[in-house]
Amino acid sequence: MKLALILNVIDPQIGGVMIMGDRGTGKSTTIRAIADLLPEIIVAQDDMFNSHPSDYELMSDVVKNRLEEGQSIQTIPIKVPMIDLPLGATEDRVCGTIDIEKALTEGIKTFEPGLLAKANRGILYVDEVNLLDDHLVDILLDSAASGWNTVEREGISVRHPARFVLVGSGNPEEGELRPQLLDRFGMHAEIRTVKDPSSRVKIVEQRSKFDSNPYNCLEEFEKQQEELKNRIIKAQKQLSDVTIDYDLRVKISEVCGKLDVDGLRGDIVTNRAAKAFAAYENKEHVEVNDIKQVITLCLRHRLRKDPLESVDSGLKVSQVVESVFNLDELH
């Protein structure tokens, strides 16, 4: 789970993470903690879409127009937005709608941004995503894939950037997500309750320690947190220089073919994730081991399965990976 989140932060185009697991296993805690590992971002001041001051792909039309008119853009640093999407959210709240107050008091049509606008260049978290309305999940996945949100409402037409890492969590006991929606998430992590008594005791002790004095606890781990933060920033910068050999790309596609994975999303995401992992490990070339570390996270939710079965635990993927990436074959 932690690795999947870190890799999506290094390369948001991996396509988000779906985290399914038992209740009380710290899913939400881990997801909310990832925001603290991210460096501050520079945004255009007084802009409702967290627009980038110089990158056109991450900029709203208002900022673009101001730039084209030769105006200077004031900037401010902000923390990476971490937006929670509540289960009861309406489509208008998610996408944005007409500002009713301004329409009534001033008689002008203006756009009131939704959660997708606030999440631009940040993280959008949906707890219990398997209980969210399917059409809302569709909207989220479409925006996450295209990086844009288009709103057509009562004579208003607005298109704004919506680049975010989509993170969903849920408990499989409450129902699985539809396969075609599940396939749109880049990675899938499965969390099981720890069975080892000594590990459980360690978790309980850490939790009690944090409850009794949170500040001391934060101080204790500050150095490790800073190291991880710097490692992520370095990997983000190095990502564009990482290469993956043709024969390894062929092997990834061979694994997807043998597992009968529908479509090509599995191939694309595995290639991206392997590069992100190599950058995280401070390498310039993807190696077999990098692929092995990420491929189960990328493929386990894409396998065709019996309707009565839950998502593959990863055993099937591991077996095929071992047979295809036979080390003797590579040497």
Side-chain angles (χ1 to χ4, degrees), residues 8 97 103 109 136 158 169 177 225 247 265:
N8 270 273
T97 185
K109 288 177 182 173
L136 276 183
V158 177
S169 70
L177 212 56
Q225 186 93 331
D247 57 340
R265 278 201 187 105

Side-chain angles (χ1 to χ4, degrees), residues 176 188 190 192 259 296 299-305 309-319:
E176 289 279 1
H188 184 289
E190 194 174 32
R192 291 259 172 264
L259 286 167
T296 304
L299 298 183
R300 59 141 50 99
H301 56 302
R302 303 178 197 278
L303 310 189
R304 290 189 177 189
K305 61 176 193 288
E309 285 176 16
S310 62
V311 171
D312 177 61
S313 64
L315 195 64
K316 212 185 215 171
V317 179
S318 303
Q319 286 167 348

Side-chain angles (χ1 to χ4, degrees), residues 219-267:
E219 256 176 44
E220 189 186 330
F221 292 100
E222 194 175 5
K223 190 166 176 283
Q224 283 167 262
Q225 186 93 331
E226 204 56 40
E227 281 170 8
L228 183 53
K229 194 175 185 174
N230 292 334
R231 195 175 166 189
I232 288 171
I233 295 167
K234 194 176 175 187
Q236 285 173 332
K237 288 174 184 166
Q238 199 172 318
L239 182 65
S240 56
D241 300 326
V242 177
T243 57
I244 177 165
D245 290 340
Y246 177 75
D247 57 340
L248 289 183
R249 296 204 298 270
V250 170
K251 298 251 179 223
I252 288 170
S253 292
E254 197 181 324
V255 170
C256 293
K258 282 194 174 183
L259 286 167
D260 202 16
V261 172
D262 283 341
L264 293 169
R265 278 201 187 105
D267 309 51

Side-chain angles (χ1 to χ4, degrees), residues 90-103:
T90 60
E91 190 177 329
D92 282 356
R93 182 75 190 98
V94 174
C95 298
T97 185
I98 239 172
D99 188 331
I100 298 294
E101 193 181 334
K102 267 200 175 168

Side-chain angles (χ1 to χ4, degrees), residues 16 28-29 38 50 63 65 97 108 175 184 217 231 274 279 281 318:
S28 305
T29 310
L38 303 177
N50 305 325
V63 177
N65 293 340
T97 185
I108 50 173
R184 301 274 293 281
C217 223
R231 195 175 166 189
E281 292 289 311
S318 303

Side-chain angles (χ1 to χ4, degrees), residues 49 59-61 64 146 148-151 157-161:
F49 306 110
M59 200 184 285
S60 68
D61 291 341
K64 277 180 195 168
S146 67
W148 293 89
N149 174 41
T150 306
V151 182
S157 178
V158 177
R159 183 173 177 263
H160 68 79

